[in-house]
Amino acid sequence: MDSQAPIAQKVDQLLLKMTLEEKVGQLNQYASYKNATGPINSTGNIVDEIKQGRVGSILKVNGTVDIRIYQQAAMQSRLKIPLLFGEDVIHGYHTTFPIPLAEASSWDMAAIGLSARIAATEAAASGINWTFAPMVDISRDPRWGRIMEGAGEDPYLGSQIAIARVKGFQGNGLGSLDAVMACAKHFAAYGAAIAGRDYNSVDISDRTLWEVYLPPFKAAVDAGAATFMNSFNELNGIPATGNTYLQRDILKGQWGYKGFVVSDWGSITEMINHGFVADKRHAAMAAITAGCDMDMEGRSYIDNLPQLVKSGAVSVALIDDAVRRILQKKFELGLFDDPFRFCNTEREKTVVNSPENKAIARSVAQKSMVLLKNDNQLLPLSKNLKQIALIGPLAKAKKDMRGFWALPWGESDETDPVSLYEGIQNKLGNNTTLLYAKGCNIDDTVRAGFADAVKAAQQADVVVMAVGEAFDMSGEAKSRANIHIPGVQEDLIKAIRATGKPLVVLVMGGRPLIFNWTADHAPAILYTWWLGTEAGNAMADVLFGDYNPSGKLPVSFPRSEGQIPIYYSYKSTGRPLISPADVVYKSAYIDQLNTPRYAFGYGLSYTSFKYSDLKLSAKTMNDKQKILISFALTNTGKYAGEEVAQLYLHDRVASVTRPVKELKDFIKVNLKPSETCVVNFEIDSKKLAFYNQKMIWSTEPGMFDIMIGSASDDIRLTDTFQLIKTQ
């Protein structure tokens, strides 16, 4: 081919040379038999099928040596079309970063983007050119195990994080040796699975779909995401994989998306179980017609599409469109110029798990923790304490620190995460004794270790407890009806609290957990999630004040499962709850408080911040104008620290009821003690628009409330303005 020709021209030339069977082969993706994350459907010899041109992509192959073997097989096919290699690089490749929900707690787009950048650099150096991330599903149900993989409950915050991750993975663009294709998933509304049960149905209104669940996907399109993955769920009776409205009408139609769509693992075939199609033949026809371009580990396409085209049941134009999209990306990656350009073993040794990457992972982990409680400024701890007791089943845990979706590198000193025990040891001098007692296991009822734990606590100046979930208790297929801290861990906390010793509780996990007794009685609580390779060092940095925690919750924490789904941007009712004490004939529970235990946007610091001097550039605006907001933010404490200032708006009266508040902007500011800065926000018509009764994105004249604060339930400054008709 003419090397100077546009890629589209090269793709068209190649399509002319391809047989129908070779075209369908490009739509077929197999997994290697190692590290499978779903049922293997492929039969026979994968390498032989590659040589026959029957495979376009492989997933779950790691390392340049193994990837070269498969790519060499592709070079023995008739047309020598290179393979794409995909992997679940969800929160790091070799260097493991905090789980995505933890990173979302940083509200730090630069840090989140850098995390994705490092993951892409390592993955690309190991031969990978496609990651199945970011997951941009909005989730308001912490029973859903995959909440750990996303950015929480809010479409605005979720959209900003989607942009950061897509740009981080794709770097300077496809074709760069340190870039991988991003994959926005799961399209769409997977996070709204009924009852929080993975793979379950979704039943939501068009308004909820467009206003809550689609915005992060649109943001991913605008950020240039190379690929999309559809979801396992059905949406209003139609499985997403076979949903023309989602894939053809919205994604490829209204949004003009030029990348390609891959099914989730086996989701084309699984439409049979949904009762949507009778067999694999009809599954293949439904999926390709709806706009699903590649079949991940399903064998529906490879076994049925050629015959469907030859019989006239499926137009070859649909096949050509899907193949064209996939070949376009292979050309953009430079694989036709050099199929082995991502298979440099020397680069792999140099880049993967470098000390620089670990340092960045530690920094991101520091930013991802959320300080929930700190009575009497118990934290930070002094490094001069004589004896510290470290108690709990996760105190020495390593594998759990990686969290779900960490790649299985095995157990070695090089790849194991730093435990909390090791992190504290690394922090303390020889004058401090670190006592340890496990106390109990994560998820059973055995209390035999309580006595040793109490004895250790009684000897200590302060007690640090490490409790929470095991790594495999949140994640795909890890939905839980009971999201309390598992086992007897909270009973252990009660026993230690009874000693009267100063107590700091670290809660580790992949979802919001319920721990009401601890929340009421423990003096200090730090929510650490699962922090990855440098977990222990980062936790020690925060415990001893070398880093001032700055995280804010990206999702509401419920008081009980009965409140779920729970989120801050709810709508008022005809009988709204005004006073917590007055629940008579109100939209309220009568048996508990109706507020979340910890609200969206909540997170403390070792210092304090004052909001003051709110100013608006105008009190009215039209669709073509903007209002500039400014206020003073002052660090009034004794520690340097970062504050996430949050802007919420409320449309008082509209033709369609609006939420009581919606996040519309935020900024993270670092201030020294006594330092003041002026923070600026801008309000334009985009921040005021919504889908009207005819589902048209537009604005309506009216009054708006401005709310600025430290959390969705901690509003410090308020004002109003009016949107008027454009003259």
Side-chain angles (χ1 to χ4, degrees):
M1 294 182 182
D2 179 1
S3 62
Q4 302 302 314
I7 289 179
Q9 183 177 326
K10 294 178 184 179
V11 170
D12 288 340
Q13 291 174 355
L14 182 53
L15 272 172
L16 292 173
K17 300 176 183 294
M18 298 174 71
T19 65
L20 175 60
E21 287 71 19
E22 287 169 333
K23 291 177 181 178
V24 174
Q26 288 301 299
L27 314 186
N28 185 32
Q29 182 183 60
Y30 286 152
S32 77
Y33 294 105
K34 299 178 182 178
N35 308 320
T37 56
I40 294 289
N41 294 307
S42 52
T43 58
N45 189 303
I46 293 178
V47 172
D48 285 347
E49 290 199 60
I50 293 171
K51 292 177 181 179
Q52 297 167 26
R54 288 170 52 85
V55 183
S57 175
I58 297 286
L59 74 154
K60 293 298 174 184
V61 181
N62 291 313
T64 57
V65 174
D66 288 347
I67 284 175
R68 181 176 285 273
I69 293 171
Y70 285 103
Q71 197 69 287
Q72 285 173 335
M75 293 305 101
Q76 297 176 53
S77 65
R78 186 178 77 90
L79 291 176
K80 299 179 175 57
I81 299 175
L83 296 168
L84 291 172
F85 292 92
E87 180 55 277
D88 289 302
V89 185
I90 306 302
H91 54 106
Y93 184 69
H94 209 280
T95 304
T96 307
F97 284 81
I99 61 168
L101 189 60
E103 287 189 351
S105 300
S106 74
W107 292 54
D108 189 322
M109 300 308 108
I112 292 170
L114 184 57
S115 167
R117 185 86 292 277
I118 297 301
T121 299
E122 290 190 351
S126 298
I128 302 298
N129 38 55
W130 185 12
T131 175
F132 302 117
M135 190 191 91
V136 301
D137 296 309
I138 297 300
S139 180
R140 295 170 168 181
D141 191 333
R143 294 173 300 180
W144 189 49
R146 296 194 81 163
I147 193 172
M148 57 77 59
E149 199 178 337
E153 71 181 53
D154 184 69
Y156 181 82
L157 178 61
S159 295
Q160 302 310 305
I161 292 174
I163 293 167
R165 287 185 170 141
V166 167
K167 290 185 175 180
F169 284 130
Q170 297 186 175
N172 292 324
L174 303 188
S176 302
L177 285 174
D178 62 354
V180 298
M181 295 195 300
C183 184
K185 66 181 188 183
H186 305 84
F187 197 64
Y190 192 29
I194 295 172
R197 204 172 71 237
D198 217 349
Y199 317 120
N200 205 5
S201 302
V202 169
D203 190 3
I204 57 176
S205 68
D206 271 358
R207 179 168 307 284
T208 300
L209 174 69
W210 280 92
E211 293 189 351
V212 177
Y213 292 94
L214 289 185
F217 287 102
K218 181 58 165 62
V221 170
D222 294 341
T227 66
F228 262 53
M229 180 186 292
N230 53 42
S231 51
F232 285 116
N233 57 278
E234 70 167 48
L235 179 64
N236 301 326
I238 302 175
T241 310
N243 198 307
T244 301
Y245 176 63
L246 285 175
Q247 296 173 93
R248 292 271 182 218
D249 297 349
I250 298 175
L251 182 61
K252 295 179 178 180
Q254 185 171 333
W255 293 352
Y257 184 62
K258 302 302 181 185
F260 71 86
V261 179
V262 63
S263 78
D264 208 336
W265 189 298
S267 67
I268 294 178
T269 303
E270 288 176 12
M271 289 194 290
I272 300 171
N273 294 336
H274 279 281
F276 186 67
V277 293
D279 50 38
K280 283 189 173 184
R281 178 178 180 275
H282 288 91
M285 182 164 59
I288 195 70
T289 301
C292 180
D293 301 306
M294 184 178 285
D295 179 1
M296 178 190 288
E297 196 51 60
R299 293 202 70 95
S300 290
Y301 279 5
I302 194 68
D303 291 343
N304 294 284
L305 282 183
Q307 294 80 8
L308 285 166
V309 172
K310 291 173 184 177
S311 69
V314 169
S315 168
V316 72
L318 293 179
I319 309 298
D320 286 350
D321 176 64
V323 176
R324 185 176 284 109
R325 291 169 180 269
I326 294 166
L327 294 179
Q328 173 80 21
K329 296 307 174 187
K330 292 185 176 184
F331 274 109
E332 290 177 14
L333 287 163
L335 292 173
F336 282 97
D337 297 325
D338 179 4
F340 304 101
R341 64 194 306 262
F342 293 97
C343 293
N344 185 321
T345 55
E346 293 304 313
R347 183 170 70 243
E348 182 178 20
K349 293 176 183 177
T350 302
V351 172
V352 171
N353 209 35
S354 72
E356 293 80 9
N357 292 353
K358 285 188 174 182
I360 295 171
R362 183 170 179 168
S363 175
V364 176
Q366 291 169 347
K367 296 173 183 288
S368 299
M369 285 175 267
V370 184
L371 181 62
L372 298 180
K373 190 176 182 182
N374 193 24
D375 287 354
N376 301 316
Q377 289 75 53
L378 176 58
L379 292 174
L381 300 177
S382 169
K383 297 176 186 176
N384 298 319
L385 294 168
K386 295 299 182 182
Q387 293 199 108
I388 298 174
L390 180 58
I391 296 171
L394 287 161
K396 287 189 174 181
K398 284 178 168 286
K399 188 173 184 179
D400 297 297
M401 297 303 99
R402 288 205 298 258
F404 201 85
W405 282 122
L407 292 170
W409 295 110
E411 304 295 334
S412 71
D413 291 338
E414 180 183 3
T415 58
D416 271 357
V418 179
S419 70
L420 175 60
Y421 183 87
E422 292 168 331
I424 294 178
Q425 276 190 321
N426 294 339
K427 187 69 63 176
L428 297 177
N430 296 328
N431 294 328
T432 301
T433 300
L434 182 59
L435 308 172
Y436 165 74
K438 184 178 180 181
C440 65
N441 294 320
I442 293 174
D443 193 20
D444 63 29
T445 59
V446 178
R447 301 167 186 262
F450 277 31
D452 287 342
V454 169
K455 182 179 179 180
Q458 289 171 335
Q459 300 175 55
D461 299 312
V462 67
V463 180
V464 176
M465 296 193 68
V467 300
E469 294 185 309
F471 79 97
D472 58 356
M473 296 178 77
S474 285
E476 182 174 353
K478 305 300 179 184
S479 299
R480 290 175 58 195
N482 181 341
I483 60 170
H484 286 65
I485 291 180
V488 293
Q489 293 181 81
E490 199 157 28
D491 288 340
L492 178 62
I493 295 172
K494 293 177 183 179
I496 301 303
R497 181 63 177 141
T499 67
K501 295 291 183 172
L503 174 62
V504 180
V505 177
L506 275 61
V507 184
M508 307 171 184
R511 53 156 56 89
L513 293 171
I514 296 171
F515 43 94
N516 290 316
W517 191 94
T518 301
D520 288 334
H521 296 93
I525 304 172
L526 186 67
Y527 214 85
T528 70
W529 312 98
W530 292 317
L531 294 175
T533 298
E534 288 293 303
N537 286 331
M539 285 186 277
D541 291 336
V542 170
L543 284 174
F544 293 95
D546 291 321
Y547 181 83
N548 185 354
S550 61
K552 301 281 189 177
L553 295 178
V555 60
S556 303
F557 277 46
R559 297 176 183 274
S560 70
E561 290 89 355
Q563 289 181 298
I564 298 170
I566 185 169
Y567 46 93
Y568 82 92
S569 57
Y570 60 89
K571 292 186 177 183
S572 185
T573 72
R575 296 184 180 184
L577 180 66
I578 305 299
S579 169
D582 181 11
V583 298
V584 178
Y585 296 111
K586 297 295 194 300
S587 178
Y589 300 109
I590 64 171
D591 57 345
Q592 70 169 44
L593 289 174
N594 289 270
T595 55
R597 169 56 76 171
Y598 299 108
F600 174 84
Y602 174 81
L604 302 177
S605 169
Y606 294 156
T607 192
S608 55
F609 297 94
K610 178 183 177 183
Y611 291 66
S612 63
D613 200 21
L614 177 62
K615 296 178 181 177
L616 276 63
S617 64
K619 294 287 285 185
T620 62
M621 63 173 283
N622 61 38
D623 279 345
K624 297 180 180 179
Q625 296 173 326
K626 299 177 181 179
I627 289 179
L628 303 181
I629 299 173
S630 68
F631 64 94
L633 184 65
T634 304
N635 183 339
T636 55
K638 61 182 181 178
Y639 295 96
E642 294 175 288
E643 169 72 340
V644 179
Q646 303 158 40
L647 168 67
Y648 298 88
L649 296 179
H650 172 227
D651 189 345
R652 288 187 177 180
V653 179
S655 62
V656 174
T657 59
R658 308 304 304 144
V660 295
K661 59 172 70 79
E662 296 178 275
L663 181 71
K664 293 297 182 180
D665 210 342
F666 60 88
I667 187 170
K668 195 167 190 176
V669 181
N670 196 332
L671 295 174
K672 299 175 183 177
S674 301
E675 183 180 5
T676 297
C677 76
V678 176
V679 176
N680 297 291
F681 289 128
E682 181 180 276
I683 298 177
D684 58 16
S685 61
K686 291 180 181 178
K687 287 184 168 67
L688 309 180
F690 62 95
Y691 289 96
N692 64 19
Q693 291 184 5
K694 296 181 179 179
M695 290 303 293
I696 297 173
W697 183 252
S698 61
T699 61
E700 292 180 357
M703 295 297 298
F704 289 81
D705 294 312
I706 295 172
M707 294 163 278
I708 296 172
S710 185
S712 62
D713 67 344
D714 184 11
I715 300 302
R716 309 286 184 87
L717 301 171
T718 61
D719 207 334
T720 61
F721 69 93
Q722 185 177 13
L723 177 67
I724 60 177
K725 290 184 178 180
T726 303
Q727 299 300 319

